[in-house]
Amino acid sequence: MSIKGKAFIVGAYEHPTRHAPDKTVAQLHAEVAIGALEDAGLRKEDIDGYFCAGDAPGMGPLSMVDYLGLKVRHVDSTDTGGSSYLVHVAHAAEAIALGKCRIALITLAGRPKSEGMATGTAPRAGNPNLPELGFEYPYAPTVVNTYAMCAMRHMYQYGTTSEQLAWIKVAASHHAQHNPHALLREVVSVEDVLASPMIADPLHRLDCCVITDGGGAVIVAHPDVAKSLKRPLVRVIGAGEAVKGQLGGEVDLTYSGAAWSGPRAFAEAGVTPADIDYASIYDSFTITVLMQIEDLGFCEKGAGGRFVADGNLISGVGRLPFNTDGGGLCNNHPANRGGMTKIIEAVRQLRGEAHPAVQVKDCALALVQGTGGSLGLRHGSATLILERT
Amino acid sequence: MSSAAPAPGRSIPAPVITPETRPFWEAANEGKLLLPRCRSCGKVHYYPRARCPFCGGEADTWIEAKGEGEIYTYSVMRRADPPYAIAYVSLTEGVKMLTNLIGADFDRLAIGQKVRVVFVPSESGQKVPMFTPLLP
Ligand SMILES: [Zn+2]
């Protein structure tokens, strides 16, 4: 059994805010839920499945289902960090295929900017029951220095350069200039990235994503529901999941879980990387993008540096237009979780509703790739393949 | 194997010690780096846990590591005050462990550099294993 064609993404909404000091997290979840319902042309009463992850306040879905006033017969609060929302789309498609629900709402929201969180640079203690805690926390791992270790190894093993990594930010900034909601709209150069302060060798400040408040939501529905609505049809045709950690001590930081989730999604969809017109690729850091591009098979392992250079990720210029909203690197990274906005921009592209300056011509097949956690410690990976029909 | 101090101004959070990992930490206080080995498949793993991550067997025997290895990867956290170097060190026993590099010129660190273990007191006095280059 496959989810291919069993569900459609019928609603998508990205909150325009990037700084919400006067709103609560629950309120932001509600605002994006309403936004996605309006986008789809559905009412709140139509929702019979609800999906959320660790950014939602409360125990799993309990508080948000109550707050939103939903009456649901299926819930799922799988949390794989920033990739959770891709997993939710896949799980929603599974639930719809099995008749467990027909119209599933997935929400994300958070306020790391307003809460003054040192997202990437402060070690996080975590639950004392974490089995790895005693062997990690004393060494002060942070989000940025654990990704930096991936970049350092990639440079050593494959000759990847800081200039090549910088091209990923440059491409994102070329897209963000057209997005009025993007936090960073200024086009930057390779030199700008290299001149920005070093945070954790070899990652500069401009190799890092932004910190923003905000959120987003999507609605996944049965094909019959999708066909009854007035929006362009975006079909889920493939999905893959994976979790990769330290492999019992046989640590290998040169590849991500996308090397496992990607082939699963491509196999289910029956397509290849060469068929993809647009890709949303999780971009917590420039190195995150580079590793996933290799692992998904857009180029050979180790050739990612050459692949991303010289504007190859810029829409209308290069071979693989990516993150045309500006991505997490320039536009938005609400709740420090970039998966939702990745899905939303892919939906825009397939509907032909991206900004005209970045819209991929005849965009029929899109890939969404998410990771969550840290590529340098342990992470979840999820891949979705979506098709315009 | 020797003791060392963290960089001035830096304090090391004390590790959470559990029944699964107590032998590792007691040995660290005596200047020994222990690694867990599986009774069933004989493989060594890291970080230590009571069940082998490879075969699921009981991993309640310990071997003493030589305490030598090389830098697999590292990053100097320039934004921290004082800066510190996080790393994975590849031990001669075959596993890689997350750690810090100390007693080194951070600008001269390199992947592949040979390192040896040193034990550094954390905030509780419990010593934690870190590594220092053989040729600084
Ligand atoms: Zn075993």
Side-chain angles (χ1 to χ4, degrees), chain A residues 122-139:
Chain A
R124 303 181 200 174
N127 181 330
N129 288 324
L130 283 173
E132 68 273 15
L133 189 67
F135 301 93
E136 295 185 359
Y137 191 56
Y139 305 116

Side-chain angles (χ1 to χ4, degrees), chain A residues 120-123 128 131-142 144-146 148-153 156-157 198-202 205 246-254 376-378, chain B residues 10 12-16 18 20-21 24-25 43-49 53-54 71-79 84 86-88 94-100 106 111-112 128-130:
Chain A
T121 52
E132 68 273 15
L133 189 67
F135 301 93
E136 295 185 359
Y137 191 56
Y139 305 116
T142 65
V144 61
N145 69 10
T146 54
M149 286 195 290
C150 298
M152 197 68 98
R153 184 70 199 184
Y156 172 84
Q157 198 154 328
M198 190 66 84
I199 306 296
D201 301 327
R205 176 172 291 157
Q246 296 177 11
L247 309 174
E250 296 176 356
V251 176
D252 187 341
L253 298 192
T254 61
L377 295 172
R378 57 194 59 75
Chain B
R10 179 162 183 237
I12 310 299
V16 173
T18 70
E20 276 184 279
T21 62
F24 178 93
W25 295 112
K43 287 189 80 170
V44 170
H45 71 264
Y46 196 84
Y47 61 90
R49 65 207 86 171
F54 302 108
I71 299 173
Y72 170 73
T73 189
Y74 71 97
S75 175
V76 179
M77 190 72 187
R78 303 282 176 184
R79 270 291 300 273
Y84 63 94
I86 194 166
Y88 279 102
V95 291
K96 299 184 186 83
M97 60 182 281
L98 190 74
T99 190
N100 286 161
F106 288 158
I111 289 175
V128 301
M130 295 186 174

Side-chain angles (χ1 to χ4, degrees), chain A residues 180-196:
Chain A
H181 302 300
L183 188 77
L184 306 177
R185 295 190 65 192
E186 192 184 338
V187 174
V188 299
S189 67
V190 167
E191 293 70 27
D192 293 333
V193 178
L194 300 188
S196 66

Side-chain angles (χ1 to χ4, degrees), chain B residues 111-125:
Chain B
I111 289 175
Q113 207 169 8
K114 302 280 188 232
V115 293
R116 67 176 171 82
V117 72
V118 289
F119 292 89
V120 181
S122 64
E123 286 164 359
S124 68

Side-chain angles (χ1 to χ4, degrees), chain B residues 37-45 51-59:
Chain B
R37 185 163 64 188
C38 175
R39 281 174 187 264
S40 298
C41 72
K43 287 189 80 170
V44 170
H45 71 264
R51 285 283 170 173
C52 172
F54 302 108
C55 79
E58 288 189 59

Side-chain angles (χ1 to χ4, degrees), chain A residues 33-45:
Chain A
I34 299 301
L37 284 165
E38 286 175 354
D39 177 70
L42 289 164
R43 297 167 308 145
K44 187 164 74 74
E45 301 74 53

Side-chain angles (χ1 to χ4, degrees), chain A residues 53-112:
Chain A
D55 55 282
M59 179 184 285
L62 301 189
S63 288
M64 286 315 306
V65 166
D66 188 27
Y67 180 98
L68 294 167
L70 299 175
K71 288 204 176 73
V72 291
R73 57 189 178 112
H74 189 83
V75 293
D76 183 333
S77 54
T78 302
D79 195 346
T80 56
S83 59
S84 303
Y85 319 93
L86 285 76
V87 174
H88 293 167
V89 169
H91 289 190
E94 292 165 19
I96 290 165
L98 290 170
K100 299 296 182 187
C101 63
R102 270 172 79 79
I103 304 178
L105 168 69
I106 308 167
T107 63
L108 160 132
R111 313 163 65 243

